[in-house]
């Protein structure tokens, strides 16, 4: 679906992404993993087309244009607007909106009861859910999640993951950033390990036990610790 | 919807409505003073409550330019505060003295060094008094010489030389104008209004930065024209606000006549405000910090307005490069 060829990204002469190549196939669910500041968010933006690589390419291998849903790491919401207004605003961004799909998503994410509330009066978790729902509102082919599960309670997280898993089964492609092993093991099919702007490893989730043993010895402190905490 | 998001903030409403209201409250008393209350206040003090003085005051009070008050106590502090232009204090037995033809020591005239037009009233007061004095004096002489007429008959007879008008008349015409006369039409007030527009635009620019920092633009970027549409909404909202502010300013100014402006100048104000809007919008792409944008625009605006003021006060002559300051587009 999407091919990264030697993607390098610099900002203010600082190299944030070094020479990353890789392929994202349709139906994949990739988890970008790595310590803070590794460049995960930056890579996700490059994939989304929000930034252009300084060198290398990021090519859409499909015949048609793919629709992308991007959920930023921050709560990207408007002040003084209700949940319903947010949904309506983003629904207008796409030509055909599948109302049944939207209703089902609102139901699953538990947003139905708060439709008329202003975003200021939402709890942190509720705002997270709205943040996610907006990114998924147009049934995107490629779903890009930047730490979309921070602060979400376990029950809701489960519902969100179930929903994402369902979309994935129906053919959506998923690239997500998460520090949460629970999330990763629930839906990821493969992991990309990033450290200091470099893609140091790529493996299917089935190999995670073996990799945990490897990373227990040979990597930097942060990554070693992150794998150790998997239990 | 985004309109609601942008305007539904207490600080927005305060800035957009409060500031002009505040300015209006400050300006309004001056406007009323200059357009309506052009009468000069003069006080006559009579500690002895004489009915003749009361009559005299009533006779004097038919002049529109003066507003005359009769008091029984002298309050010089009113002069110092500028509340009255002059105070005239009459002596006791005023009528008797007038009828005896006494012209000295019947009246004391108090004025402030800033009093300007009280001299006119003094002349008027004096001529009215002189009428009575002259007629009384004439009657005195007549009754001394002959008994063919009583004092009162002689006194009344003298009136024909003063009534209905004194013999000597000067033509008097009031010039009325319904626009405020500036020495030459001044430009600095409109530069201040422009500064207010800048304030509005800079204030609204905070949303651009907020949306960028929060990732709203990022998330919209994956939709066709998503980012552009939000920018367009922003521009439309600010344009609308500027337009309403311009119209409001025009309405208030036409109503209260604060400054003399023609429609060309209103148009220029709107044009320059719209240009300012687009410039600030464009530089918001290059200046990544909102605080830097505020600092840059504030410095630009303050220098621009200050230069206009200096030029208007003839402390500086216009040079060509001043045109880079937008408020100089108002100066011609
Ligand atoms: N606007 C920016 N200007 C300059 N450097 C930046 C900017 N944004 C991010 N960086 C730098 O790029 C590097 C990667 O940032 P990025 O946000 O991609 O990390 P991340 O892996 O997502 O981290 P986290 O887990 O904390 O979200 C960091 O070293 C950061 O300092
Ligand atoms: Mg990040």
């Amino acid at each position: 679906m999407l091919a990264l060829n030697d993607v390098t990204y610099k900002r203010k002469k600082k190299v944030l992404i070094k020479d990353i190549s890789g392929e994202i196939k349709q139906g994949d669910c990739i988890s970008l993993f790595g310590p803070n500041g590794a460049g995960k968010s930056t890579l996700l933006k490059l994939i989304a087309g929000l930034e252009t690589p300084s060198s290398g390419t990021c090519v859409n291998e499909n015949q048609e244009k793919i629709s992308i849903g991007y959920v930023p790491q921050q709560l990207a919401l408007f002040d003084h607007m209700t949940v319903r207004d947010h949904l309506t605003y983003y629904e207008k961004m796409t030509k055909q909106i599948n109302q049944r799909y939207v209703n089902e998503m609102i139901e699953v994410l538990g947003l139905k009861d708060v439709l008329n509330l202003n975003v200021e009066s939402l709890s942190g978790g509720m705002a997270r859910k709205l943040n996610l729902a907006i990114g998924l509102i147009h049934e995107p082919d490629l779903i890009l999640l930047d730490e979309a599960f921070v602060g979400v309670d376990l029950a809701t997280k489960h519902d969100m993951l179930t929903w994402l898993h369902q979309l994935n089964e129906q053919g959506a492609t998923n690239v997500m950033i998460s520090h949460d092993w629970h999330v990763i093991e629930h839906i990821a099919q493969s992991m990309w390990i990033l450290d200091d702007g470099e893609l140091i490893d790529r493996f299917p989730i089935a190999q995670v036990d073996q990799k945990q043993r490897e990373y227990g010895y040979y990597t930097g402190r942060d990554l070693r610790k992150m794998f150790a905490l998997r239990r | 919807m985004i309109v609601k998001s942008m305007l539904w903030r207490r600080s927005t409403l305060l800035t957009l409505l409060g500031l002009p209201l505040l300015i209006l409250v400050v300006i309004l008393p001056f406007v009323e003073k200059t357009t309506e209350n052009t009468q000069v206040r003069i006080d006559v003090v009579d500690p002895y409550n004489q009915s003749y003085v009361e009559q005299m005051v009533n006779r004097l009070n038919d002049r529109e330019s003066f507003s005359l008050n009769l008091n029984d106590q002298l309050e010089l502090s009113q002069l110092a505060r500028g509340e009255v232009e002059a105070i005239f204090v009459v002596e006791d037995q005023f009528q008797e003295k007038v009828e005896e033809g006494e012209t000295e020591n019947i009246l004391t005239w108090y004025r402030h060094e800033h009093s300007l037009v009280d001299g006119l009233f003094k002349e008027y007061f004096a001529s009215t008094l002189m009428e009575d004095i002259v007629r009384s004096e004439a009657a005195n002489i007549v009754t001394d010489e002959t008994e063919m007429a009583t004092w009162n008959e002689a006194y009344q007879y003298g009136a024909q030389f003063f009534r209905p008008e004194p013999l000597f008349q000067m033509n008097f015409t009031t010039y009325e104008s319904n626009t405020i006369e500036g020495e030459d039409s001044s430009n600095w007030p409109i530069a201040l209004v422009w500064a207010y527009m800048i304030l509005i635009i800079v204030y609204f620019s905070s949303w651009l930065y907020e949306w960028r920092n929060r990732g709203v633009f990022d998330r919209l970027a994956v939709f066709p024209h998503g980012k552009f549409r939000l920018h367009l909404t922003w521009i439309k909202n600010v344009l609308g606000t500027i337009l309403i502010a311009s119209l409001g300013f025009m309405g208030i100014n036409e109503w209260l006549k604060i400054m003399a402006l023609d429609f060309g100048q209103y148009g220029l104000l709107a044009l320059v405000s719209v240009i300012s809007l687009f410039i600030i919008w464009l530089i918001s792409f290059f200046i990544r910090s909102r605080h830097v944008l505020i600092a840059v625009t504030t410095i630009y605006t303050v220098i621009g307005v200050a230069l206009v003021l200096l030029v208007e006060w003839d402390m500086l002559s216009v040079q060509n490069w001043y045109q880079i300051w937008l408020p100089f587009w108002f100066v011609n």
Side-chain angles (χ1 to χ4, degrees):
Chain A
M1 174 181 235
L2 212 71
L4 306 175
N5 306 312
D6 300 323
V7 172
T8 298
Y9 180 75
K10 292 179 198 155
R11 180 180 268 173
K12 293 174 188 155
K13 290 187 182 154
K14 203 177 149 207
V15 183
L16 302 184
I17 295 292
K18 282 174 213 153
D19 233 358
I20 289 186
S21 297
E23 204 179 348
I24 300 163
K25 292 202 183 69
Q26 197 200 335
D28 254 355
C29 184
I30 299 169
S31 165
L32 298 183
F33 192 76
N36 292 136
K40 304 180 296 293
S41 297
T42 311
L43 181 60
L44 203 68
K45 282 186 189 174
L46 285 161
I47 294 171
L50 302 177
E51 309 279 359
T52 33
S54 311
S55 66
T57 51
C58 184
V59 205
N60 173 15
E61 290 178 324
N62 279 30
Q63 260 71 41
E64 316 145 38
K65 212 166 170 281
I66 47 174
S67 70
I68 296 173
Y70 174 72
V71 177
Q73 193 167 354
Q74 317 94 307
L75 292 171
L77 304 171
F78 293 110
D79 281 336
H80 306 285
M81 248 166 71
T82 62
V83 172
R84 191 192 302 277
D85 285 346
H86 273 89
L87 296 172
T88 319
Y89 182 76
Y90 286 95
E91 277 172 17
K92 280 188 198 149
M93 289 286 157
T94 40
K95 279 176 208 87
Q96 69 257 66
I97 195 85
N98 183 347
Q99 205 60 53
R100 239 194 70 215
Y101 163 89
V102 174
N103 289 342
E104 201 182 330
M105 179 173 68
I106 293 169
E107 184 86 53
V108 169
L109 294 180
L111 287 170
K112 205 164 187 168
D113 302 331
V114 295
L115 278 176
N116 294 321
L117 287 187
N118 267 350
V119 287
E120 283 83 18
S121 44
L122 291 183
S123 71
M126 280 292 181
R128 273 284 158 210
K129 289 192 225 171
L130 178 60
N131 204 38
L132 176 72
I134 291 170
L136 301 179
I137 203 158
H138 54 302
E139 289 189 277
D141 305 322
L142 179 60
I143 301 168
L144 306 173
L145 308 178
D146 198 340
E147 297 182 32
F149 304 96
V150 175
V152 173
D153 68 65
L154 288 177
T156 317
K157 195 195 286 180
H158 185 265
D159 290 342
M160 283 166 85
L161 289 174
T162 310
W163 180 247
L164 283 169
H165 192 67
Q166 198 181 315
L167 292 179
N168 197 210
E169 304 244 285
Q170 289 162 7
T173 312
N174 208 330
V175 180
M176 58 167 192
I177 298 169
S178 183
H179 296 293
D180 187 338
W181 281 108
H182 180 76
V183 171
I184 297 168
E185 288 182 283
H186 201 292
I187 55 170
Q189 290 168 25
S190 54
M191 285 182 82
W192 290 17
I193 314 294
L194 260 85
D195 198 6
D196 202 15
E198 283 179 274
L199 183 61
I200 58 171
D201 206 351
R202 252 188 310 168
F203 53 84
I205 198 75
Q207 292 177 15
V208 70
D209 286 325
Q210 178 202 332
K211 291 289 173 184
Q212 185 177 0
R213 261 172 273 132
E214 271 178 40
Y215 282 103
Y217 305 107
Y218 303 120
T219 47
R221 193 202 81 96
D222 287 342
L223 263 180
R224 199 164 62 226
K225 199 84 195 262
M226 284 167 78
F227 270 93
L229 284 170
R230 179 172 163 246
R231 284 184 307 152
Chain B
M1 274 188 291
I2 311 291
V3 176
K4 200 174 134 206
S5 168
M6 285 169 71
L7 292 177
W8 205 249
R9 242 187 216 191
R10 217 169 298 158
S11 55
T12 314
L13 296 175
L14 271 179
T15 320
L16 296 188
L17 301 175
L19 203 73
L21 277 182
L22 191 79
I23 292 172
L24 208 62
V25 165
V26 173
I27 284 181
L28 213 55
F30 292 100
V31 175
E32 281 191 344
K33 218 178 204 166
T34 50
T35 55
E36 284 169 27
N37 197 9
T38 49
Q39 281 192 323
V40 175
R41 203 182 127 184
I42 306 268
D43 273 17
V44 173
V45 174
D46 173 18
Y48 316 100
N49 290 316
Q50 304 164 76
S51 62
Y52 175 70
V53 175
E54 207 180 320
Q55 278 173 32
M56 178 66 73
V57 166
N58 287 337
R59 269 165 71 190
L60 292 170
N61 220 353
D62 64 348
R63 280 286 163 99
E64 273 174 22
S65 324
F66 297 103
S67 135
L68 205 56
N69 288 304
L70 181 60
N71 288 332
D72 52 12
Q73 264 179 358
L74 178 62
E75 262 188 70
L76 285 174
S77 58
Q78 285 186 318
L79 268 181
R81 288 197 298 267
E83 287 169 13
V84 296
E85 186 82 354
I87 302 177
F88 292 86
V89 182
V90 297
E91 298 294 317
D92 198 9
Q93 296 185 309
F94 192 64
Q95 186 172 12
E96 288 77 359
K97 285 176 179 165
V98 166
E99 286 176 358
E100 280 160 22
E102 196 175 327
T103 49
E104 276 168 48
N105 302 325
I106 57 172
L107 207 53
T108 315
W109 175 18
Y110 292 93
R111 69 190 304 266
H112 193 264
E113 53 180 339
H114 296 307
S115 301
L116 289 173
V117 294
D118 54 333
L120 295 174
F121 182 78
K122 186 213 81 176
E123 295 301 327
Y124 178 47
F125 198 173
S127 71
T128 309
L129 266 180
M130 279 313 285
E131 178 193 332
D132 281 15
I133 292 172
V134 166
R135 282 168 60 193
S136 306
E137 193 58 12
N140 287 342
I141 292 168
V142 167
T143 44
D144 278 354
E145 296 292 322
T146 169
E147 288 184 0
M148 282 172 65
T150 62
W151 190 92
N152 252 334
E153 283 169 344
Y155 182 78
Q156 292 303 331
Y157 182 79
Q160 61 179 291
F161 301 101
F162 298 95
R163 301 271 161 75
E165 295 290 344
L167 292 176
F168 174 68
Q169 278 284 309
M170 205 182 287
N171 285 330
F172 182 72
T173 313
T174 313
Y175 171 66
E176 275 184 26
S177 148
N178 45 16
T179 54
I180 312 101
E181 296 160 84
E183 290 85 302
D184 38 13
S185 73
S186 48
N187 297 296
W188 62 269
I190 204 165
L192 285 186
V193 179
W194 167 77
Y196 173 64
M197 297 295 184
I198 291 283
L199 188 79
I200 292 181
I201 299 165
V202 169
Y203 183 77
F204 274 108
S205 75
S206 66
W207 273 273
L208 293 177
Y209 286 91
E210 223 163 80
W211 291 334
R212 188 182 298 151
N213 292 337
R214 283 187 197 171
V216 173
F217 279 124
D218 279 346
R219 96 171 330 151
L220 279 168
V222 299
F223 294 97
H225 313 299
K227 250 169 133 168
F228 173 74
R229 279 155 88 170
L230 187 55
H231 274 294
L232 204 65
T233 309
W234 182 85
I235 288 176
K236 275 193 215 158
N237 285 352
V238 184
L239 271 181
T241 312
I242 287 178
L243 196 73
I244 291 171
S246 303
L247 285 177
F249 163 70
M250 190 172 113
I252 289 171
N253 192 44
E254 287 297 311
W255 171 40
L256 293 176
K257 308 280 176 207
I258 299 166
M259 44 184 130
L261 293 175
D262 57 34
F263 285 95
Q265 279 165 304
Y266 290 125
L268 196 61
L269 173 68
L271 177 73
V272 172
S273 304
V274 170
I275 290 173
S276 312
L277 163 65
F278 279 99
I279 290 175
I280 290 176
W281 178 66
L282 280 177
I283 61 176
S284 79
F285 287 94
F286 300 102
I287 299 180
R288 286 279 154 174
S289 150
R290 193 187 149 213
H291 301 291
V292 176
L293 180 94
I294 291 177
V296 168
T297 24
T298 307
I299 291 169
Y300 177 86
T301 309
V302 169
I303 294 181
V305 172
L307 282 178
V308 168
L309 284 177
L310 288 177
V311 167
E312 295 268 310
W313 294 337
D314 289 332
M315 291 161 85
L316 210 65
S317 56
V318 188
Q319 285 161 27
N320 274 340
W321 67 272
Y322 285 1
Q323 298 298 325
I324 64 162
W325 307 103
L326 282 174
F328 268 89
W329 295 22
F330 304 122
V331 180
N332 259 321

